[in-house]
Amino acid sequence: MRSDVIVSTGISSLDEVLQGLRLGDNVVWQVDRIEDYRGFAERLTTQAIAEGRKMVYLRFAPHPPVLEPREGLTILEVDPDAGFDYFSAQVHHIIDDWGLETYYVLDNLSALVEEWATDELLANFFRVTCPFLAELDTIAYFALTRGRHAHSTVARIRDTTQLLIDVYHVDGQMYIHPLKVWDRYSAQMFLPHLFSEEECEPVHHSGHAAALSSARRHPLTRTADASIAPWESVYRRLELHRESEAQGEPLPPEIAALKQELTRMMIGDHENINLLAERYFTLDHLFGIRARLIGSGRIGGKAAGMLLARAILHDGSDGPELARQLEPHDSFFI
């Protein structure tokens, strides 16, 4: 790897955060939608073509194309239907044929799981392909759909890649969060950043950062892979009723009982506290606790008391005014 050679992502504000790319970098973008990945891939492609680089798009997924045909871009289709071995061999032949310092954009890797029916083969494909690309001083972009894969799979990809970047939207704004950047560091690099092409503004305030984490569709902190523990099952069933409760619709008796059960699992058996929680905690409150729960189990009486106090203040007649005076809480529960 020629890690001393710095190249551009095509976005100056992103270059500033990442201190540029290095020849040999594999970049994995963890996204909720393919459109977000497309924006970064298009800018890299434009930059590479302007610099006279070899630019290849590997097409294998059923989703809409990440890149449209243009002069200077070679689009190669590879069929994953034939299985892991054939697909991997074909991709490696392409990489070998195109040689040194080629730029690659690949379709969303999550589509391979739909073909191969296992996360394990996806992780294996990445772990044998990423080092080969790095040896040839390439730049390669990959995408993963957040929340679709076991933690162990994402961990193996993270261990292998040079860069792993989270991309998500909160309140109509895009944020990027570098989770791994190999062989470079700055004091602000690994913070979430409010992203625009003109500027990437780091999120310093802990309350703001915690709110971003909780607002994301798939929380960063989750329990064991594919857990079938009772509280996971209860949570999944309650999730279907979250929107209806937020709109003021009463919960069916069975769902209200499940809500009480989830409250008990996270707070414990304290009669007075549980009565208050039943009155003041909505499903959004409970899901907010779970989004910041590291592991599983009960959050403890002091934490429950603080959260209940906030909920009671917000629920009163002066709730909106009080809410503006309170700093957003930035607690997580281990």
Side-chain angles (χ1 to χ4, degrees), residues 43-55 70-72:
R43 292 301 296 270
L44 177 74
T45 300
T46 298
Q47 181 72 26
I49 293 173
E51 294 176 358
R53 303 277 187 178
K54 296 177 290 184
M55 187 72 227
R70 66 168 88 176
E71 186 176 353

Side-chain angles (χ1 to χ4, degrees), residues 109 144 176:
L109 293 176
L144 279 178
I176 64 166

Side-chain angles (χ1 to χ4, degrees), residues 1-23:
M1 291 179 61
R2 295 178 60 190
S3 58
D4 58 321
V5 179
I6 301 175
V7 297
S8 175
T9 64
I11 304 173
S12 58
S13 61
L14 183 60
D15 289 339
E16 185 175 347
V17 173
L18 302 177
Q19 298 178 3
L21 300 178
R22 311 292 195 268
L23 290 180

Side-chain angles (χ1 to χ4, degrees), residues 225-292:
D225 296 346
S227 172
I228 58 171
W231 80 284
E232 271 297 299
S233 174
V234 168
Y235 176 86
R236 286 195 296 270
R237 293 182 65 186
L238 286 174
E239 199 169 30
L240 301 176
H241 296 268
R242 182 177 189 172
E243 185 174 343
S244 59
E245 187 198 51
Q247 294 173 352
E249 299 176 16
L251 294 175
E254 178 189 1
I255 301 305
L258 287 176
K259 179 184 174 184
Q260 291 176 356
E261 180 66 8
L262 183 62
T263 302
R264 184 191 64 80
M265 291 177 184
M266 290 196 295
I267 293 178
D269 290 313
H270 306 287
E271 183 178 356
N272 291 334
I273 291 181
N274 289 355
L275 287 172
L276 289 170
E278 183 178 349
R279 177 178 175 182
Y280 291 103
F281 275 173
T282 64
L283 286 177
D284 273 339
H285 284 122
L286 296 177
F287 292 163
I289 295 172
R290 184 187 182 276
R292 301 183 184 192

Side-chain angles (χ1 to χ4, degrees), residues 27 35 71 76 95 121-122 128 150 196 201-202 236 238 276 315 319:
V27 185
E35 291 80 8
E71 186 176 353
L76 301 175
I95 296 170
L121 291 181
L122 167 60
V128 298
S196 70
E201 181 182 350
R236 286 195 296 270
L238 286 174
L276 289 170
D315 190 66

